[in-house]
Amino acid sequence: MTESKDWTRLLARVRACKACELPLGPRPILSASPTARLLITSQAPGRRAHEAGRTFADASGDRLRDWLGLPPELFYDSTRVAIIPMGMCYPGTQEGGGDLLPQARCSETWHGPLLSFLSQVRLTLLVGRLAQVHYLPDPRGSMSEAVAHWRDYLPTHLPLPHPSWRTLGWARRNPWFEAELLPELRVRIAEILK
Ligand code: SF4
């Protein structure tokens, strides 16, 4: 009971965090619970996720759910799937398009306390280079190299590219991603969440 209260208090503190100056203001977005068995650590919410107040509420989210074989009701079931971005607020857009990198202080401040409650997690998906550099013991030279060596990090971690439209060309150049990695990932996730 005490642990549950501690978790609720921590979640309330994260959701009330206003530590950063951000173009649209702080709006921390995460989905998590101590019973989650799959953890998705991504980069930061995009503008649409910020407006919706929900992680991956956009076409990238549709692509990620397709990769994982998870319908929205399961993807957003925080008792089973935790989604904790490296930066939990929308960081704004850089000149020429593309979102800015998230604030480093976000993962430095909050990931340790949040992850200390997630003792049931059996697989952590590292979506994008930032999460890979932060969490892989040996993150390889690039996102592409880290993902190409995906088997090396199992059974606890698995690096993935960011599921934006930019990944479509990358996936065509790396056919093993859809032919080998995704089928294996879906089997593992189904097993973990059953
Ligand atoms: S990005 Fe993280 S540290 Fe910054 S205001 Fe949002 S929750 Fe707080």
Side-chain angles (χ1 to χ4, degrees):
M1 189 60 182
T2 308
E3 195 176 348
S4 149
K5 274 191 188 162
D6 289 348
W7 168 255
T8 305
R9 274 197 210 108
L10 173 61
L11 212 49
R13 283 176 54 218
V14 174
R15 289 192 166 129
C17 180
K18 298 191 186 321
C20 305
E21 281 192 31
L22 297 159
L24 299 187
R27 188 178 193 189
I29 298 174
L30 73 162
S31 174
S33 137
T35 57
R37 294 159 75 88
L38 176 69
L39 169 61
I40 300 171
T41 304
S42 47
Q43 187 138 319
R47 192 181 181 114
R48 284 192 60 189
H50 171 89
E51 288 164 357
R54 203 147 109 125
T55 56
F56 286 108
D58 52 18
S60 294
D62 292 337
R63 193 166 295 115
L64 181 60
R65 287 182 282 278
D66 180 53
W67 286 357
L68 309 185
L70 290 178
E73 60 272 21
L74 190 46
F75 183 83
Y76 288 118
D77 179 354
S78 63
T79 66
R80 303 171 83 185
V81 179
I83 307 170
I84 303 179
M86 294 300 291
M88 288 182 269
C89 298
Y90 170 60
T93 305
Q94 57 194 339
E95 256 181 61
D99 288 352
L100 291 163
L101 287 176
Q103 305 278 333
R105 69 151 51 123
C106 196
S107 56
E108 289 165 7
T109 307
W110 294 120
H111 275 214
L114 286 167
L115 268 54
S116 73
F117 280 89
L118 301 188
S119 57
Q120 308 293 314
V121 168
R122 289 173 54 191
L123 176 63
T124 299
L125 304 180
L126 302 165
V127 181
R129 189 65 188 145
L130 213 56
Q132 291 159 18
V133 168
H134 198 82
Y135 281 109
L136 291 178
D138 166 19
R140 311 279 175 179
S142 65
M143 179 282 290
S144 202
E145 281 178 70
V147 180
H149 288 87
W150 57 280
R151 288 185 180 87
D152 295 354
Y153 304 111
L154 288 170
T156 56
H157 292 80
L158 193 134
L160 289 172
H162 189 278
S164 73
W165 60 268
R166 293 182 187 87
T167 302
L168 297 175
W170 178 89
R172 272 194 295 275
R173 292 190 300 279
N174 295 278
W176 49 267
F177 178 69
E178 290 184 357
E180 297 172 36
L181 187 156
L182 291 186
E184 172 75 23
L185 177 58
R186 289 181 190 126
V187 167
R188 284 177 184 261
I189 288 177
E191 172 68 24
I192 287 168
L193 298 183
K194 77 179 177 194

